[in-house]
Amino acid sequence: MRRFAFSAFLALLSVFVLSAAMTVTACGDDDDDDDSTYGDDDAADDDASGDDDADDDDAGDDDADVVDVSIEDMTMNPDPVTIAAGQTVRWTNNDSVPHTTTSGEPDAEDGLWDSGTLDTGDSFSHTFDEAGTFIYFCAVHPDTMTGYEVIVEE
């Protein structure tokens, strides 16, 4: 009887592990219309600049169209970021702890973009097509990393 119980336990554990692995694999961005990308360093990135960032959708973009924001020392730098409509902001986590870049404010996300969790070295890019001021924050640290701005001029 103990052998059967142990075998049943192993079978359930295997199902749990496989389910968890499939869930993690399936958690990618399924919105094909989103201009945002995220992930860790990607060796397959063919960006002519030689940067190993993960914004493959923008890999053909000229570096002049990309403005970099560094996430480090529990802040986003520069802030505010001022760009022209059509330009892309690329956030890179250079900190030793995970962060996000999430549009809106804590408890009031507006759904325009959300990087998901960015580990050290991970990047996320979003292209801003319309003029306006866009507020964002870090969902991992909503009490201290909030009120950042991207100002998009026409």
Side-chain angles (χ1 to χ4, degrees):
M1 183 69 175
R2 281 186 159 191
R3 183 177 186 145
F4 173 75
F6 184 71
S7 295
F9 171 76
L10 286 179
L12 285 173
L13 181 63
S14 297
V15 169
F16 174 77
V17 169
L18 287 174
S19 296
M22 289 173 44
T23 301
V24 168
T25 302
C27 284
D29 184 11
D30 61 350
D31 183 2
D32 294 334
D33 297 333
D34 191 359
D35 289 334
S36 303
T37 57
Y38 67 96
D40 49 61
D41 289 345
D42 185 1
D45 188 4
D46 293 329
D47 188 352
S49 70
D51 292 341
D52 287 334
D53 59 17
D55 59 346
D56 292 331
D57 290 346
D58 297 322
D61 287 351
D62 187 329
D63 276 344
D65 290 335
V66 177
V67 175
D68 286 303
V69 174
S70 178
I71 308 170
E72 58 187 318
D73 298 326
M74 299 296 287
T75 192
M76 310 275 184
N77 189 30
D79 179 58
V81 178
T82 303
I83 61 172
Q87 284 189 299
T88 298
V89 175
R90 177 177 47 214
W91 291 268
T92 301
N93 184 2
N94 295 311
D95 213 339
S96 60
V97 296
H99 293 287
T100 74
T101 172
T102 305
S103 62
E105 298 181 27
D107 299 323
E109 296 175 24
D110 60 23
L112 295 176
W113 77 86
D114 184 2
S115 65
T117 302
L118 299 174
D119 292 321
T120 302
D122 288 353
S123 293
F124 170 83
S125 296
H126 181 77
T127 300
F128 292 83
D129 293 322
E130 297 183 22
T133 298
F134 301 89
I135 306 297
Y136 68 99
F137 68 102
C138 173
V140 178
H141 307 100
D143 294 330
T144 57
M145 295 182 69
T146 187
Y148 299 102
E149 294 183 343
V150 175
I151 301 167
V152 182
E153 300 173 337
E154 290 193 42

